[in-house]
Amino acid sequence: MERPLTKNIIANQEPYDLAAYQAVGGYQAVLQTIGRIDPTKVLEIVVDSGLGGCGGGGFPTGRKWQAMPSREERPGTHYFIVNADEMEPGTFKDRLLLEGDPHQLIEGIILSAYAVQADHSYIFIRGEYHRAITLIEHAVSEAEAAGLLGLNILGSGYNLVIHVHGGAGRYICGEETALLNSLEGRRAVPRSKPPLPMTSGLFGAPTVVNNVETVCNIPHIIANGADWYRNLGQNGAVGTKIFGVSGRVKKPGAYELPMGTPMQDMIENYAGGMQHGYKLRAVLPGGASTGFMLAEDLDIPMSFAAFAAKGNRLGTGTAIILDDQTCPIGLIANLQHFFAQESCGWCAPCRDGLPWVERTLKAIEIGEGKMDDLDLLTDISDTMAPGRTFCALAPGAMASLMTGLSYFRDEFERHIRDGKCPWT
Ligand SMILES: Cc1cc2nc3c(=O)[nH]c(=O)nc-3n(C[C@H](O)[C@H](O)[C@H](O)COP(=O)(O)O)c2cc1C
Ligand code: SF4
């Protein structure tokens, strides 16, 4: 099985420096592309590959890039931004790529920025990822010294500067327009859309924002072609993806697998199945902003389309397992604590609703809830339905609550009726 994204990542070993990365074919795609292939052709290959954004939405990357005006249409600076904020609970795939193979990301940025003709790139890295920041800064300086970055790259006349920016540690900075505000030194709240960043992004200039994993795919797609990439997938999906599992499985971790691999296969055959004495009860398939799926539905292929068809989201593809000895209400309350804390406060349903949801759930968890609370939780979550808040943080927060209320209603009622948590 081909694993282009992780093939250079070796456990407990320092990542490849520039020389080692080049020795295994690194930067070949850059050498063969920059100044040799027209940027529009590079963009076309990415469109044909069908690559979907790995930041959680799966939006087609090539189509996003096509929405960026050309330099003729909009002279001046154009930006290519890498979203490495990665604060979604349960999600740790970008960290693996940042720390495991930093030059792969730099090569991906050079090719992506060239395709959209951006001359400045920012890598916005979660502030707590100290090691990633150090490694990426080092890789940038190595690439600069080798003439792979900077002015007139490889004599092509193409210029690109990469800036590494450590975030200050807010989940909302991962929302692409809040990220732009943060980079501009403003309060990190989402911007109203339209205009989209592609037409009016950082400092009002044309800007593309892509996730780390999305960008890391680009060197492989350019080197091997769109058809090669499409054929890596299974069950109608394209490419590979870094999936992950946390919870009481035998081998929690991140696994690069064909997109479209059934979730059951990942849990049983890669994560080793459940630990002795625990049964799988449900799964949050792609981080804390996705809805629960029950054990009997895990034959679903892990692709954005298959999850959308079921009314759920693949999200970041990093699954959180709920076992039969963990209180589902405690788990949901814990997630709501995170979301309430991370609400940016820009719109009322989220700012006021999430702390209320958190308090109510905590009361139910310790046996101090009322039956009426269940309908009230449903009502308040309606105020945070998609389209009713300024950004997707609040609807994402409601996904685990609403699916939890529907799948574990008996557990909620038992806590209220018995006045205690059966798991304590
Ligand atoms: C609250 C919130 C947090 C987000 N956090 C991240 C993040 O940490 N990393 C990321 O790539 N995308 C995150 N996103 C999605 C981004 O807004 C954006 O869609 C993504 O970076 C686009 O990249 P892609 O097209 O490569 O997927 C977040 C969205 C929301 C609403
Ligand atoms: S939904 Fe929440 S995080 Fe998003 S803008 Fe409104 S208050 Fe901020």
Side-chain angles (χ1 to χ4, degrees):
M1 185 193 302
E2 288 191 83
R3 294 197 170 93
L5 290 168
T6 53
K7 65 180 165 45
N8 295 336
I9 303 179
I10 301 159
N12 304 318
Q13 194 169 301
E14 286 296 302
Y16 286 165
D17 63 5
L18 178 64
Y21 183 71
Q22 285 181 308
V24 294
Y27 288 112
Q28 277 304 313
V30 162
L31 297 180
Q32 286 159 11
T33 303
I34 307 298
R36 290 166 176 255
I37 301 178
D38 195 76
T40 52
K41 177 68 193 158
V42 181
L43 201 157
E44 211 174 279
I45 297 170
V46 175
V47 171
D48 291 346
S49 74
L51 171 67
C54 304
F59 188 81
T61 304
R63 268 180 45 210
K64 183 186 271 192
W65 292 6
Q66 283 175 321
M68 180 104 150
S70 68
R71 298 194 73 80
E72 291 70 40
E73 289 163 323
R74 286 279 297 277
T77 302
H78 289 203
Y79 293 101
F80 183 82
I81 293 180
V82 179
N83 191 342
D85 195 49
E86 195 166 69
M87 275 188 69
E88 178 82 9
T91 298
F92 44 85
K93 66 184 182 67
D94 295 341
R95 181 179 180 185
L96 177 74
L97 292 167
L98 291 161
E99 294 183 358
D101 199 3
H103 276 290
Q104 175 176 241
L105 177 65
I106 307 304
E107 184 172 15
I109 295 173
I110 298 170
L111 294 163
S112 307
Y114 180 72
V116 299
Q117 286 292 283
D119 47 355
H120 280 267
S121 174
Y122 282 86
I123 312 176
F124 189 104
I125 309 186
R126 174 178 175 170
E128 292 90 339
Y129 280 8
H130 303 291
R131 180 170 157 77
I133 292 172
T134 306
L135 290 168
I136 293 289
E137 280 175 342
H138 180 67
V140 168
S141 61
E142 278 191 311
E144 278 170 354
L148 294 161
L149 279 175
L151 296 179
N152 193 21
I153 296 173
L154 303 170
S156 65
Y158 174 60
N159 308 325
L160 176 66
V161 180
I162 297 185
H163 313 266
V164 181
H165 180 96
R170 289 315 304 266
Y171 175 59
I172 194 60
C173 289
E175 197 284 333
E176 58 184 8
T177 58
L179 184 156
L180 298 178
N181 277 341
S182 176
L183 273 179
E184 289 183 9
R186 297 167 190 269
R187 178 175 164 189
V189 291
R191 297 178 180 176
S192 78
K193 298 184 217 174
L196 292 169
M198 286 78 89
T199 51
S200 180
L202 190 62
F203 302 110
T207 303
V208 161
V209 182
N210 273 133
N211 169 261
V212 169
E213 187 184 359
T214 312
V215 181
C216 288
N217 274 292
I218 302 298
H220 308 292
I221 292 172
I222 300 305
N224 299 298
D227 287 344
W228 167 85
Y229 180 75
R230 296 187 78 87
N231 286 330
L232 294 176
Q234 286 181 1
N235 294 314
V238 304
T240 64
K241 165 119 192 55
I242 302 183
F243 297 103
V245 196
S246 60
R248 288 197 170 102
V249 285
K250 289 191 186 120
K251 292 190 290 174
Y255 301 94
E256 182 180 3
L257 301 173
M259 191 70 124
T261 300
M263 179 163 274
Q264 184 80 50
D265 190 14
M266 172 179 70
I267 295 170
E268 288 300 325
N269 298 326
Y270 294 92
M274 297 301 287
Q275 290 172 15
H276 183 68
Y278 293 95
K279 279 205 187 105
L280 187 150
R281 185 165 192 192
V283 177
L284 289 171
S289 304
T290 55
F292 281 105
M293 295 172 55
L294 294 176
E296 53 266 32
D297 297 325
L298 298 186
D299 54 350
I300 184 169
M302 293 188 292
S303 73
F304 295 107
F307 275 74
K310 292 269 180 202
N312 203 341
R313 293 176 48 245
L314 179 63
T316 59
T318 39
I320 301 171
I321 309 276
L322 171 68
D323 60 77
D324 62 341
Q325 292 171 48
T326 298
C327 174
I329 292 126
L331 187 149
I332 300 167
N334 191 29
L335 295 179
Q336 299 307 322
H337 170 67
F338 169 83
F339 288 118
Q341 188 172 277
E342 293 299 329
S343 167
C344 79
W346 200 234
C347 57
C350 173
R351 182 186 59 228
D352 297 338
L354 287 175
W356 187 89
V357 165
E358 183 196 350
R359 275 196 306 277
T360 308
L361 280 171
K362 288 209 162 136
I364 296 174
E365 186 194 358
I366 58 170
E368 293 178 1
K370 302 185 291 298
M371 283 299 173
D372 289 351
D373 287 343
L374 301 184
D375 290 339
L376 281 168
L377 281 172
T378 307
D379 288 348
I380 198 128
S381 100
D382 274 352
T383 68
M384 289 183 261
R388 296 200 172 157
T389 57
F390 210 73
C391 86
L393 184 147
M398 291 302 99
S400 61
L401 175 62
M402 290 320 294
T403 48
L405 266 172
S406 130
Y407 293 145
F408 315 125
R409 180 105 189 169
D410 51 338
E411 301 289 9
F412 280 86
E413 290 177 359
R414 181 144 70 118
H415 279 69
I416 296 167
R417 209 178 38 245
D418 297 354
K420 64 180 172 69
C421 174
W423 281 275
T424 52

